[in-house]
Amino acid sequence: MKNKNDRKLVIQIVWSLCCVFLILQHIIENFWELKILVFSINGNFIKLFLASMLILLPIYFFYCSNNRIVKKIYSILSIVCFICIVFLYMFSFSGNRYFYFYSPHNNRILIAEETSWLLSGGSSFYERKYRIFMKPIKEGITTDDGYRPFSSGEFTVKWLSKNKVQLDYKYGSMINDIWKTEIINLN
C-alpha cells in the first residue's frame, strides 16, 4: 500500500510542477515578451511537452483506482488529446529553424526563425537574452513559394552598428533570381 501511495504522490508532484512551469512560461511570454529557446528547442515544443504531461500523468493516477470504466474512458480521451496536440504541433511548428548571427564583438546575438508553410515563407527576428530567452524584434521578412534563404545559404549578414544589421537574402526559388535587402534594428 505504501508503494502505491508513493507513486501517487510522485505523480501529483510532477503534475503540479508541470502546471507551475506552464503558467510560468505563459507569464514570461505574455508579460515580459520573452520566448524560450534552448538550443533549437522552442517554447512551442516545451508547451507541447508540458501539456502532454498534464494529460497523460492522470492516466497513471487513475490506474491506481479500481474503477475499470474510468480507467478506459480517461485512457482513450488522453490518447486522442495527445494525438491531436502532436498533430497540431507537427502541422504548425515543426519546420521552424533557427539561425544565430553574432555581432563583431560577440555582445549581441540576432536570431532568425525561418518558417515555411505551403506557398508562403518568412523569417521572424529575435535578440538573444539571458542565454535561454529571445526577445522579438518587430521586423521580419517574407519569401516566395515557401523559400528558405537561411537553410539554402543564400543570404549575407552585415553588422552596420551595434544596433543595426543589414540582411541581403534571396527572395524566391531557383527560377526567379530576386534578392532583397532588409535593415534590422535591434532595440
Side-chain angles (χ1 to χ4, degrees):
M1 196 68 164
K2 184 180 178 188
N3 191 18
K4 191 176 189 180
N5 289 335
D6 288 344
R7 269 189 282 162
K8 279 186 175 183
L9 180 64
V10 169
I11 290 169
Q12 288 172 343
I13 290 171
V14 171
W15 193 85
S16 299
L17 285 174
C18 287
C19 285
V20 168
F21 287 135
L22 200 57
I23 291 168
L24 187 62
Q25 183 179 4
H26 179 75
I27 290 169
I28 289 170
E29 286 183 356
N30 292 313
F31 294 109
W32 287 304
E33 295 181 354
L34 294 172
K35 291 187 174 189
I36 296 174
L37 180 66
V38 181
F39 305 111
S40 288
I41 300 171
N42 63 11
N44 296 321
F45 181 78
I46 294 170
K47 284 180 193 173
L48 169 72
F49 177 76
L50 293 173
S52 301
M53 294 299 285
L54 290 176
I55 291 171
L56 295 176
L57 279 175
I59 289 175
Y60 299 109
F61 187 76
F62 284 120
Y63 274 153
C64 296
S65 100
N66 292 328
N67 191 341
R68 292 175 60 196
I69 295 173
V70 170
K71 286 182 193 180
K72 295 273 187 197
I73 291 172
Y74 192 80
S75 296
I76 291 169
L77 289 175
S78 297
I79 291 170
V80 168
C81 289
F82 180 72
I83 289 171
C84 290
I85 288 172
V86 170
F87 176 75
L88 288 173
Y89 175 79
M90 291 177 67
F91 190 67
S92 302
F93 302 110
S94 67
N96 296 6
R97 294 190 183 119
Y98 296 90
F99 298 88
Y100 300 85
F101 305 105
Y102 296 87
S103 66
H105 300 293
N106 288 332
N107 56 353
R108 298 189 93 167
I109 301 171
L110 176 69
I111 300 173
E113 178 185 32
E114 187 176 59
T115 59
S116 178
W117 194 75
L118 295 178
L119 293 177
S120 68
S123 294
S124 301
F125 296 101
Y126 303 89
E127 182 179 4
R128 186 68 172 231
K129 298 283 186 183
Y130 316 114
R131 294 194 176 247
I132 64 167
F133 296 109
M134 55 185 190
K135 185 160 184 77
I137 298 172
K138 303 293 185 213
E139 299 177 35
I141 62 169
T142 59
T143 58
D144 190 31
D145 292 334
Y147 187 69
R148 295 177 174 261
F150 296 106
S151 296
S152 301
E154 298 188 290
F155 68 94
T156 58
V157 173
K158 181 180 177 184
W159 287 82
L160 303 174
S161 68
K162 76 175 201 174
N163 294 331
K164 285 190 178 189
V165 177
Q166 178 180 332
L167 171 67
D168 298 315
Y169 64 98
K170 192 170 180 181
Y171 176 71
S173 63
M174 309 305 170
I175 297 170
N176 52 2
D177 197 24
I178 300 171
W179 283 73
K180 291 192 173 188
T181 299
E182 185 77 29
I183 302 295
I184 302 164
N185 293 308
L186 292 107
N187 296 333

